[in-house]
Amino acid sequence: QVQLVESGGGSVQAGGSLKLSCVASGYTGNRIAMGWFRQCPGKEREAVAALTAVGGVSHYADSVKGRFTISRDNAKNTLYLQMNSLVPEDTAMYYCAARTSYGGTWKWTSTEAYQSWGQGTQVTVSS
């Protein structure tokens, strides 16, 4: 079981930057991939970015390409999301997720592909 704790959210003006962190604890040896999702009230949770453990392949939603960067520090068991050039549409609760099982279909944008989730950190971007 992997426990995930996000931090780094906050309020920022449009054009600003934030860096989210996600610390993993518990048994972390089976993290196949990790991802960041976001959710606005009344909307479905949407994929933002993901990073595979093998090969370090990164994926990004079209809406954040060129602005967000996903990275990891294995020594610290930490996943990051650097967010630059933020816009009000980026306002959401951001969640960290870990894929720890090979069961099911691997689709980085699907919430069902991930077995562990953090509690989320709020990002608010004002215009």
Side-chain angles (χ1 to χ4, degrees):
Q1 187 81 18
V2 176
Q3 290 79 47
L4 304 173
V5 178
E6 305 95 334
S7 64
S11 296
V12 64
Q13 289 191 327
S17 298
L18 284 173
K19 186 173 185 178
L20 305 184
S21 298
C22 171
V23 178
S25 61
Y27 181 61
T28 58
N30 60 343
R31 285 173 294 159
I32 301 165
M34 295 192 71
W36 287 100
F37 285 72
R38 64 187 182 187
Q39 188 171 22
C40 297
K43 294 188 177 181
E44 292 188 354
R45 194 168 294 190
E46 65 171 358
V48 175
L51 185 64
T52 63
V54 178
V57 179
S58 59
H59 304 274
Y60 295 96
D62 288 343
S63 59
V64 306
K65 280 182 181 176
R67 301 188 298 121
F68 291 11
T69 302
I70 189 171
S71 62
R72 66 188 177 202
D73 184 331
N74 290 333
K76 296 182 178 180
N77 286 325
T78 301
L79 181 74
Y80 301 101
L81 185 68
Q82 176 68 47
M83 306 186 295
N84 299 327
S85 301
L86 285 161
V87 297
E89 291 73 25
D90 294 320
T91 295
M93 184 71 79
Y94 283 71
Y95 297 90
C96 175
R99 176 173 173 82
T100 57
S101 170
Y102 284 104
T105 301
W106 165 239
K107 184 177 181 182
W108 78 271
T109 56
S110 173
T111 58
E112 296 181 355
Y114 302 85
Q115 291 74 41
S116 297
W117 292 84
Q119 294 300 307
T121 185
Q122 178 68 38
V123 171
T124 302
V125 184
S126 58
S127 58

